[in-house]
Amino acid sequence: VIYDFSQYQKKGSKICSSNNAVILNNNETIHKKEGGCYNIDKKTLIGFFSFNENLSVYIKKNKIDVFLKYFEFFLKLLFFSIVLLIITLRINKKKLLSLSILFSLSNIVYFLFISSKPEYNFGYYPLQGGMDGLVHEGFGRSITNYFFNLNIYELFRGGENIYYFMPGMRYFSFFEKFLFGDTFNGIYLICVFTPIVFYIFLNVLGVNSSFSLFISIIFILLKIDHLGFSYDFLLKMSSSYYPEGIAILCFMFSIIFLRKNLLIYSSIFIFFMVFLRPNYLPVYCIFCIAAYVNFFKNNEFKNIFLFSIGTSLILIFPMHNFFFSNGQLVILTNSMMIKENLIINPFTYLDFCNIL
């Protein structure tokens, strides 16, 4: 394992190891067989290796960094405490109890799920090679570097001239790394709050609160492999860095905001759904058609304008592909029509209708 600190600006920190170390400073190579700690500066290039023993490497931060870490934790704790206090004051006790039960259960199930992964290490776990999730996370890492280097062109290009992999997942990864560092804590928050959003989703559809709680608990505890809408399935997809779980969450938010007549938010979240997972385009189309028909039927022309603010964002797909590919018109992604994504050809549905 080799560490390069050429971009490291801070002083006073040390890197420590329990095994062999090879230090490369100013074209000088130093081999230290015993474990120990070594000062870090911009010239430090150091490698660690071990043949028959476990390799342990860790950073001893300087006092200022340690203080800032705890101060940041204190500010986050204060922020969430204030948010919790506001929520507590605005929600009745029965609903607060229901939300607390769901939050506790989702955390327990998530912890049991993660504990089965020995490679998990406090917020981060390596993704398997050869899977799309690793590509999404890699794009997100690159976009993060483009952002901090103020490379606006590459930031918006997102790693591809024409989208092939899920477009929105790379930008979700960017925001996750921007807010939480090199961890998957953003995925964790989405996973543990999904049952709560599902409970609210059922409520706005008119389902009784007690029955909504019962369905949400079943949703959390019922473990059925390959069932598209189960908590177990969403955990597996999200932990593999696939966008299904986040896209479904966006769909529920869009319904919630639509029922509360918050049309701009509703339309933006339905766009996020298809931006994360273009395969959900049919859901997007049905949702938008139903909403527009209702607006026209009731002569709600202002609502048509408000709703169009978010839905028109879908033009980002062809605009991105056209601009960065120098004129190629691709509506969504290059992978839209490949056999792995399009198991049933659209013309097969027409044949089916003709048979009927």
Side-chain angles (χ1 to χ4, degrees), residues 32-295:
K32 295 191 176 183
K33 296 183 178 181
E34 301 296 329
C37 296
Y38 314 98
N39 291 324
I40 298 172
D41 57 36
K42 294 175 64 175
K43 299 179 181 179
T44 301
L45 180 63
I46 186 168
F48 301 99
F49 63 92
S50 176
F51 295 106
N52 300 314
E53 301 176 359
N54 292 329
L55 179 60
S56 174
V57 180
Y58 59 95
I59 297 287
K60 288 181 67 175
K61 294 184 177 181
N62 60 53
K63 293 181 179 179
I64 296 178
D65 282 351
V66 173
F67 170 77
L68 291 175
K69 177 183 177 181
Y70 284 107
F71 183 67
E72 180 185 8
F73 175 78
F74 170 76
L75 290 179
K76 289 180 180 178
L77 184 62
L78 180 63
F79 171 76
F80 284 112
S81 298
I82 294 172
V83 171
L84 183 61
L85 179 62
I86 294 172
I87 293 174
T88 303
L89 293 175
R90 296 190 62 179
I91 299 179
N92 62 63
K93 293 182 179 179
K94 183 179 179 181
K95 182 168 287 189
L96 181 62
L97 177 62
S98 298
L99 296 178
S100 300
I101 291 172
L102 293 175
F103 184 70
S104 301
L105 281 176
S106 62
N107 269 283
I108 292 171
V109 172
Y110 184 86
F111 173 77
L112 293 174
F113 174 78
I114 287 298
S115 63
S116 65
K117 296 178 175 291
E119 68 274 17
Y120 183 81
N121 182 25
F122 195 68
Y124 185 84
Y125 45 87
L127 297 168
Q128 296 179 4
M131 57 183 291
D132 290 358
L134 190 62
V135 177
H136 300 151
E137 200 256 348
F139 279 139
R141 189 183 300 276
S142 298
I143 292 171
T144 304
N145 292 332
Y146 297 145
F147 175 78
F148 285 111
N149 292 325
L150 299 179
N151 190 337
I152 305 301
Y153 180 87
E154 290 295 338
L155 173 69
F156 286 105
R157 194 176 78 89
E160 293 180 310
N161 292 332
I162 298 176
Y163 288 134
Y164 183 89
F165 294 93
M166 303 296 100
M169 200 60 193
R170 68 196 71 190
Y171 290 103
F172 169 83
S173 176
F174 157 63
F175 282 110
E176 183 180 45
K177 294 183 185 305
F178 181 79
L179 294 173
F180 302 104
D182 201 7
T183 70
F184 293 149
N185 287 337
I187 290 287
Y188 158 72
L189 287 175
I190 285 175
C191 287
V192 297
F193 278 103
T194 294
I196 293 177
V197 177
F198 181 52
Y199 169 81
I200 299 172
F201 171 75
L202 293 174
N203 274 183
V204 300
L205 292 180
V207 181
N208 178 272
S209 294
S210 300
F211 193 56
S212 296
L213 176 62
F214 174 74
I215 296 175
S216 300
I217 292 175
I218 295 298
F219 165 72
I220 295 173
L221 299 180
L222 195 60
K223 185 176 180 180
I224 303 178
D225 289 334
H226 310 300
L227 178 63
F229 192 68
S230 70
Y231 192 54
D232 180 66
F233 177 80
L234 295 182
L235 286 181
K236 289 179 180 178
M237 290 294 100
S238 298
S239 65
S240 299
Y241 230 71
Y242 286 103
E244 280 85 348
I246 310 173
I248 291 173
L249 187 71
C250 289
F251 172 74
M252 290 192 289
F253 270 124
S254 65
I255 295 292
I256 291 169
F257 287 127
L258 182 65
R259 294 298 294 260
K260 293 182 178 294
N261 208 36
L262 299 171
L263 301 180
I264 295 179
Y265 297 123
S266 176
S267 59
I268 289 175
F269 272 101
I270 201 66
F271 158 72
F272 282 156
M273 179 197 72
V274 76
F275 190 55
L276 286 160
R277 188 68 173 169
N279 307 59
Y280 292 166
L281 180 65
V283 178
Y284 171 89
C285 293
I286 294 171
F287 182 88
C288 292
I289 291 171
Y292 282 123
V293 167
N294 182 63
F295 296 148

Side-chain angles (χ1 to χ4, degrees), residues 139 153 156-167 170 316-336:
F139 279 139
Y153 180 87
F156 286 105
R157 194 176 78 89
E160 293 180 310
N161 292 332
I162 298 176
Y163 288 134
Y164 183 89
F165 294 93
M166 303 296 100
R170 68 196 71 190
I316 287 176
F317 282 98
M319 289 171 62
H320 168 277
N321 297 333
F322 185 84
F323 178 80
F324 290 106
S325 67
N326 295 321
Q328 294 187 49
L329 183 60
V330 178
I331 302 301
L332 290 179
T333 67
N334 258 343
S335 60
M336 183 178 176

